[in-house]
Amino acid sequence: MTIAPARPTPGTLIEEFELGLDAPICLTWELTYACNLECAHCLSSSGRRDPRELTTEQCEAVIDELQRMQVFYVNIGGGEPTIRSDFWHLLQYAVDHQVGVKFSTNGSRITPERAQFLASTDYVDVQISLDGATAEVNDYVRGPGSYDTALKALQNLQDAGFQDAKISVVCTRQNIGQLDEFKALADRFGATLRLTRLRPSGRGADVWDELHPLPEQQRELYDWLMARGEDVLTGDSFFHLAAFGEPLPGLNLCGAGRVVCLIDPIGDVYACPFAIHDNFLAGNLLTDGGFKQVWQTSELFRELRSPQTGGACAKCEFFDTCRGGCMAAKFFTGLPLDGPDPECVQGYGESALDQLNQSGGRTIPAASQDHSKAGPTRNQPVMLTLTRRPDLTPPSAPPTSACAESPLAGFTPPSI
């Protein structure tokens, strides 16, 4: 068993976070893998629900435990969480139990009536996913009509008087040049812009080579954030950019298993919201004594909270600012966890990938699970329609059970 390291006295805030906390500051909870879209870069490969999803009563028990642990808020996602017929009940249940909720949605269920409800509810934050400031760019990766759906949801929220919705953008090669337009959209709807990093996990691994920003675009993003990012949220997605010079606002730290984690639809707990893979599975809250037990005693989390050597990156003059980059980005591109980030702005990641490719030593881990729809639908993103290759065809194997074929299987539409 890994022995927890002694905490420095007094310790800095960063040192405290690196050694882990008794409860996460926040956690991501994927309520369902069902989704009415099939975004090309979906990090959880969502589409079909897992028939083993936690029941309403089990979800309530999780919320009760989060309340006892004094978790500040939970970031609910999916899939499309609003597809669950009990979503609105669980949202209200969390609020009633002093657990703040941030939920990410494609906006398809944010009707005027639901927007009115959200505007009247405390401790709820809404993030509308939008990956292009124009329909052409957004629908390329998220599917036809998804741009109009997102803007309609934002309009409904604004009309209802909802304060400070978020526009959540995954930065890609196609939309880096639209940063000013994204900010203008956020201002138009009285919203806050939130930028996140594309990770090569889930279906994102299939399209990584085409979508991840080029080196010069990384610099463009960094310069834009330094100049205009004071009111832009990043969630510490871009701490690898700190090697350009001045760190961006935030922790600039990988919080996996230290201050954040993920609960998936069946109760599995992963160290990182961007690494839904067996290698980062810490336990299951139904079989391992509850979420608190997993968070505080998991061997994986103990290892992540131990002092890290930094590997080759420790020799880099920028290590103290970028901390070696993103664990998930390294893992899913075949780089060692103590190696450089694949998008290292000093070029070390690109060199490391080239060396592994030339030596034949690069092994990209296979996905542990895939909930993608069994075949293309009318919601298929434009990029897949244009570029689908035989090796990227969605799995043709039957779903886990007959009911799992439809993203709505087992649920009735939520009442308005």
Side-chain angles (χ1 to χ4, degrees):
M1 175 181 292
T2 303
I3 300 176
R7 292 182 179 273
T9 306
T12 67
L13 186 62
I14 294 297
E15 288 172 333
E16 289 291 325
F17 284 173
E18 283 189 309
L19 296 176
L21 303 177
D22 288 339
I25 294 176
C26 65
L27 59 88
T28 296
W29 187 357
E30 311 284 36
L31 274 182
T32 183
Y33 286 132
C35 191
N36 54 332
L37 297 184
E38 44 188 308
C39 300
H41 57 338
C42 178
L43 62 88
S44 59
S45 297
S46 290
R48 295 173 289 125
R49 68 175 286 260
D50 191 310
R52 301 169 295 168
E53 278 180 9
L54 298 178
T55 66
T56 301
E57 292 73 22
Q58 288 170 329
C59 289
E60 290 174 347
V62 172
I63 293 170
D64 291 340
E65 189 167 19
L66 298 181
Q67 180 187 26
R68 291 192 295 270
M69 293 177 70
Q70 298 184 326
V71 172
F72 183 57
Y73 73 87
V74 57
N75 184 17
I76 292 180
E80 172 53 44
T82 62
I83 279 181
R84 277 191 64 136
S85 59
D86 60 359
F87 169 76
W88 302 102
H89 163 76
L90 292 173
L91 183 150
Q92 187 65 61
Y93 189 89
V95 170
D96 290 344
H97 288 75
Q98 294 79 51
V99 178
V101 174
K102 296 186 178 185
F103 74 92
S104 299
T105 174
N106 57 42
S108 58
R109 302 296 179 90
I110 307 299
T111 63
E113 294 79 11
R114 289 302 187 192
Q116 290 284 351
F117 165 74
L118 291 167
S120 67
T121 304
D122 293 331
Y123 308 115
V124 175
D125 196 11
V126 184
Q127 297 184 160
I128 305 295
S129 298
L130 191 70
D131 294 334
T134 58
E136 180 182 17
V137 174
N138 179 83
D139 294 2
Y140 183 69
V141 294
R142 297 189 64 83
S146 56
Y147 178 85
D148 292 338
T149 296
L151 262 60
K152 180 61 175 176
L154 287 164
Q155 187 66 63
N156 288 341
L157 289 168
Q158 185 179 47
D159 291 346
F162 185 88
Q163 298 295 313
D164 197 26
K166 306 298 185 293
I167 296 178
S168 185
V169 177
V170 176
C171 291
T172 67
R173 191 172 304 177
Q174 285 74 18
N175 67 24
I176 287 292
Q178 296 186 317
L179 295 174
D180 285 337
E181 295 173 71
F182 280 123
K183 187 64 170 65
L185 272 176
D187 292 342
R188 169 184 161 190
F189 290 107
T192 295
L193 179 61
R194 180 177 185 267
L195 302 179
T196 62
R197 184 181 177 186
L198 173 71
R199 263 79 170 198
S201 55
R203 289 197 295 269
D206 296 334
V207 297
W208 167 259
D209 289 339
E210 180 176 348
L211 290 186
H212 80 88
L214 297 168
E216 60 268 24
Q217 291 178 314
Q218 298 274 5
R219 182 74 207 206
E220 181 181 354
L221 172 61
Y222 174 79
D223 289 343
W224 190 89
L225 286 170
M226 294 301 294
R228 302 202 57 194
E230 182 177 356
D231 298 321
V232 175
L233 303 177
T234 62
D236 284 308
S237 281
F238 303 107
F239 59 90
H240 70 295
L241 299 181
F244 275 130
E246 184 180 348
L248 296 167
L251 292 178
N252 289 291
L253 167 74
C254 174
R258 296 165 169 148
V259 296
V260 299
C261 68
L262 175 137
I263 300 174
D264 85 346
I266 65 172
D268 281 339
V269 181
Y270 294 87
C272 173
F274 308 108
I276 305 175
H277 189 278
D278 289 347
N279 284 41
F280 302 102
L281 177 60
N284 185 284
L285 54 81
L286 295 180
T287 59
D288 294 320
F291 175 74
K292 181 178 180 179
Q293 186 76 7
V294 175
W295 174 262
Q296 295 185 353
T297 67
S298 159
E299 185 67 19
L300 172 64
F301 286 173
R302 286 178 180 271
E303 291 175 3
L304 289 173
R305 295 164 190 166
S306 299
Q308 306 297 308
T309 65
C313 282
K315 301 176 183 178
C316 176
E317 63 179 301
F318 298 103
F319 176 70
D320 287 340
T321 52
C322 83
R323 311 299 296 178
C326 174
M327 176 181 73
K330 289 187 253 191
F331 178 76
F332 287 109
T333 52
L335 289 171
L337 296 186
D338 63 353
D341 189 291
E343 293 184 297
C344 168
V345 299
Q346 297 299 314
Y348 297 124
E350 186 177 0
S351 298
L353 287 172
D354 287 342
Q355 291 176 7
L356 286 176
N357 286 332
Q358 292 173 10
S359 67
R362 183 184 179 193
T363 302
I364 298 177
S368 295
Q369 52 186 291
D370 189 348
H371 300 274
S372 301
K373 294 181 174 69
T377 73
R378 61 184 177 84
N379 291 328
Q380 187 181 53
V382 176
M383 75 171 296
L384 297 187
T385 303
L386 295 175
T387 64
R388 179 160 302 285
R389 304 189 304 271
D391 59 320
L392 296 184
T393 301
S396 58
T400 309
S401 71
C403 72
E405 177 63 31
S406 168
L408 300 176
F411 294 107
T412 56
S415 58
I416 301 299

